[in-house]
Amino acid sequence: MESLQISDEINNIKKGPWTPEEDQKLIDYIRKHGHGSWRALPKLAGLNRCGKSCRLRWTNYLRPDIKRGKFSEEEEQLIVNLHAVLGNKWSAIATRLPGRTDNEIKNFWNTHLKKKLLQMGIDPVTHRPRTDLNNVLANLPQLLAAANFAVGNLMNVPNSWDINALKLQSDATQLAKIQLLHNIIQILSTSPPPNIEASSLLGSSLGDNYNQLFEFLRMNSHQFHGNNGNGNGNVPFGFTPQEPNQILSNLLNFDSASQLPHLGDYTNTSTSNTSQLGSSSYANNIPTSNQLPALVSVSSADCSALNQQIETKINPNDISNPSSTLTTFEANWGDFMDDEASQSYWRDFIE
DNA sequence: AAATGATACAACCGCCTCTTG
DNA sequence: TCAAGAGGCGGTTGTATCATT
């Protein structure tokens, strides 16, 4: 590295930030002659830079068609979607965002989007919800808040699934969080952790969120079990959580190994909603299996409408694509790009 | 007001692919 | 077919700026 720098110094090759004078020389030259051979350009333009540096400066900063400023919501969404299909192919992604450079997108991804996805509980590499216990539980307060919000909104959507209302009331972030909550419930629905270490981990991680989680399950379980009105018994979230008591009883099995509050203690402090426990239908529908079913499909009509909305938003010029066959509600965010059919759609779209 | 840490982004580096002779 | 050079790409680093203590 040092020898390289020395060699560069000997050759009078400058490195580091570009000065306005250098920028102007580069712009003037390319305007007059085009860039031609990048290797030859610096000498011809009177710059003490290597060709590579000139090319980078031009393509990433000086090019006249470069769009400056913050990324819009649409651009953000598009980058996430494209990344789910293309991975770190920044140049390929950049071709879909006019005026944005691969470098800019890459930086934006690394500094903003990656964190955003992580905060949403989505793995930025796989674009799937993160299911490891630590991460799920670490995000529990956020997830519960988001899920409560989304459940409230989604349950107000008419049976016919007013997609517009759905989109207005609940963004993809909320949906992703519901997906994650689903994961939590799955974790909690399985047998108690097989060893004391896992028990302790879960207990300490859950901590104060225990009450919140219980409350959420209790408040919404009747809704999860409701018929969505389309006759097939599916519910919007596609899973039917066990009775909260049953789920949490798994936790109580290792209550002594952790610092979890006792269920009884909690219910005593929250009596305002206990009627829901008795009146809701969930009591008659306690699943026999500990495993929650996978997220369920909504009707194909609903899906196509939803997909079209997503696709229209992403690419207003291409609203009809027969290869798009998303069928799951999770398709709204993250997973929808991992769905095989969806991926083929995006590949088609990109190609 | 100064120190420290976090964040954003421009720029560089090394590797890979493509082109050309 | 192969080797060399040029260009392109993705990962990483360095530095300026902003936020917090």
Side-chain angles (χ1 to χ4, degrees):
Chain A
M1 182 63 158
E2 202 176 318
S3 63
L4 231 167
Q5 281 176 339
I6 291 166
S7 143
D8 285 345
E9 278 165 20
I10 290 168
N11 294 322
N12 202 20
I13 298 295
K14 194 184 166 192
K15 287 187 178 181
W18 280 63
T19 65
E21 291 75 25
E22 287 177 311
D23 282 347
Q24 201 53 54
K25 276 185 182 176
L26 185 57
I27 291 167
D28 288 346
Y29 181 85
I30 292 177
R31 272 187 188 154
K32 278 184 191 167
H33 308 98
H35 63 72
S37 163
W38 285 111
R39 180 172 255 206
L41 184 145
K43 205 172 183 180
L44 296 168
L47 289 161
N48 296 324
R49 296 272 181 175
C50 66
K52 211 171 182 177
S53 179
C54 293
R55 181 176 58 81
L56 231 61
R57 183 65 179 170
W58 176 258
T59 55
N60 288 337
Y61 201 81
L62 298 175
R63 239 172 49 198
D65 58 329
I66 283 179
K67 195 170 164 185
R68 296 259 152 230
K70 286 182 74 176
F71 282 80
S72 68
E73 284 284 323
E74 285 73 22
E75 285 177 313
E76 224 175 89
Q77 179 93 44
L78 186 52
I79 291 168
V80 172
N81 293 337
L82 289 168
H83 185 272
V85 179
L86 297 167
N88 293 357
K89 306 281 181 205
W90 305 117
S91 58
I93 293 171
T95 61
R96 289 285 145 190
L97 284 101
R100 300 294 189 182
T101 69
D102 52 0
N103 203 43
E104 195 180 11
I105 293 168
K106 180 174 63 184
N107 284 332
F108 184 61
W109 175 266
N110 287 327
T111 56
H112 292 92
L113 293 180
K114 215 155 94 176
K115 286 176 198 164
K116 199 170 177 178
L117 289 178
L118 285 169
Q119 278 173 1
M120 288 163 61
I122 294 171
D123 186 320
V125 177
T126 63
H127 289 255
R128 288 187 173 279
R130 303 164 83 197
T131 54
D132 53 302
L133 199 56
N134 275 332
N135 289 320
V136 167
L137 292 172
N139 288 319
L140 195 53
Q142 274 183 294
L143 297 172
L144 286 166
N148 274 316
F149 169 81
V151 166
N153 286 335
L154 290 169
M155 289 307 165
N156 289 329
V157 173
N159 289 344
S160 60
W161 273 75
D162 184 334
I163 299 300
N164 288 325
L166 174 70
K167 284 296 285 180
L168 283 170
Q169 292 181 27
S170 178
D171 66 21
T173 304
Q174 309 300 332
L175 298 172
K177 287 177 177 177
I178 291 193
Q179 164 86 36
L180 221 90
L181 195 69
H182 170 231
N183 294 335
I184 294 172
I185 294 167
Q186 273 198 320
I187 289 170
L188 299 183
S189 299
T190 55
S191 300
N195 58 54
I196 196 75
E197 198 182 341
S199 300
S200 176
L201 169 68
L202 179 56
S204 60
S205 301
L206 202 53
D208 293 341
N209 300 314
Y210 177 84
N211 287 351
Q212 289 180 55
L213 177 61
F214 179 81
E215 174 70 0
F216 176 83
L217 293 170
R218 195 168 60 80
M219 290 291 290
N220 296 296
S221 56
H222 65 290
Q223 292 175 322
F224 290 128
H225 285 262
N227 188 301
N228 68 353
N230 64 9
N232 64 11
N234 286 344
V235 291
F237 295 108
F239 61 90
T240 40
Q242 297 162 287
E243 182 182 12
N245 287 320
Q246 187 180 340
I247 292 170
L248 292 171
S249 70
N250 287 334
L251 298 176
L252 293 174
N253 284 340
F254 55 90
D255 203 0
S256 59
S258 64
Q259 297 303 311
L260 294 176
H262 282 276
L263 194 56
D265 296 343
Y266 174 71
T267 49
N268 285 341
T269 63
S270 175
T271 54
S272 58
N273 295 309
T274 48
S275 61
Q276 288 196 17
L277 271 169
S279 62
S280 63
S281 61
Y282 82 90
N284 299 322
N285 291 293
I286 299 169
T288 52
S289 164
N290 260 359
Q291 286 296 326
L292 297 170
L295 290 175
V296 79
S297 302
V298 297
S299 77
S300 59
D302 295 338
C303 261
S304 64
L306 185 57
N307 292 338
Q308 204 162 55
Q309 279 227 338
I310 293 165
E311 288 155 17
T312 305
K313 190 177 180 184
I314 291 166
N315 182 12
N317 299 321
D318 183 12
I319 58 167
S320 61
N321 190 312
S323 69
S324 184
T325 55
L326 303 183
T327 57
T328 61
F329 196 74
E330 64 189 305
N332 277 283
W333 184 257
D335 275 9
F336 92 87
M337 289 312 309
D338 288 324
D339 180 85
E340 211 168 299
S342 161
Q343 286 209 1
S344 73
Y345 161 65
W346 277 93
R347 290 205 180 90
D348 291 347
F349 167 64
I350 289 153
E351 286 156 10

